[in-house]
Amino acid sequence: MEYRHKTSPSPRKFKVVASARKVLFNVFWDMEGVVHMEFLEQGQTVNFERYISTLRAHKLRLRCVRRDKDSILQHDNAHPHTSHQTQDALRQLELTTLPHPAYSPNLAPSDYYLFTQLKKYLKGDHYDNDEEVIADVRRWCHGQSSEFFADCVRQLVKR
């Protein structure tokens, strides 16, 4: 709602264009780099079933790229992460999670560090289709050094 004089011109409304679409991106990473990433098809959302499927794929990928290392997942309190079905799947897959305090978005490293840097990289670029965006995001993720990811974890300790 907006207060204005009767003779004031109507506010301009912007139309959504095709380029305003979003590509959903799930990423699992550690101090060494990206372990697993997935891009969701247009119109899909992350519910507990989709998240469990992603966790299974992550576990398989983890065996390939970090064979002898333990994995601790740190994610926020979104419903797909905290549902009973997800918690059962985490136990079955033997994945340990780090508890996330409620109302603490500044403790989600992907939000305050990884995605912020990715957005800076993508800012101002225009893509003709989702495949171009996905390819550029993959290229950027794989182009980051292990020091980049380690720095993020060090920032989490400070927070």
Side-chain angles (χ1 to χ4, degrees):
M1 180 168 263
E2 181 180 312
Y3 293 101
R4 55 188 177 82
H5 194 272
K6 289 180 181 179
T7 59
S8 298
S10 301
R12 296 182 104 184
K13 293 185 179 182
F14 295 94
K15 295 181 180 179
V16 176
V17 294
S19 63
R21 295 183 347 191
K22 292 184 179 182
V23 175
L24 291 176
F25 174 46
N26 286 330
V27 61
F28 291 81
W29 55 275
D30 61 14
M31 288 183 78
E32 296 177 36
V34 173
V35 175
H36 176 72
M37 68 174 82
E38 285 184 349
F39 297 88
L40 277 65
E41 295 83 32
Q42 195 69 35
Q44 278 194 325
T45 58
V46 179
N47 56 23
F48 76 87
E49 293 162 334
R50 175 64 193 212
Y51 189 62
I52 291 170
S53 169
T54 300
L55 287 172
R56 287 189 178 116
H58 167 66
K59 180 71 175 189
L60 291 173
R61 180 82 178 129
L62 193 60
R63 286 185 199 151
C64 296
V65 296
R66 307 283 191 269
R67 293 175 195 210
D68 56 347
K69 296 189 178 181
D70 291 330
S71 173
I72 298 175
L73 296 178
Q74 194 267 336
H75 49 62
D76 59 19
N77 293 321
H79 185 68
H81 302 159
T82 59
S83 73
H84 294 295
Q85 296 91 335
T86 301
Q87 297 304 310
D88 291 342
L90 287 166
R91 281 188 290 278
Q92 179 188 21
L93 293 168
E94 298 176 348
L95 291 169
T96 307
T97 59
L98 183 66
H100 188 85
Y103 308 109
S104 300
N106 62 328
L107 292 179
S110 292
D111 291 343
Y112 73 78
Y113 189 78
L114 184 72
F115 292 146
T116 302
Q117 298 299 319
L118 177 59
K119 286 178 186 178
K120 284 180 186 176
Y121 170 76
L122 296 173
K123 186 176 182 175
D125 291 342
H126 298 281
Y127 301 94
D128 292 328
N129 54 51
D130 293 348
E131 289 75 27
E132 288 180 8
V133 176
I134 291 169
D136 206 12
V137 169
R138 284 184 189 279
R139 190 171 26 261
W140 181 84
C141 286
H142 291 303
Q144 301 308 307
S145 67
S146 59
E147 186 58 33
F148 172 85
F149 292 99
D151 187 43
C152 180
V153 174
R154 287 195 279 289
Q155 287 186 26
L156 174 62
V157 172
K158 290 178 188 176
R159 288 174 180 261

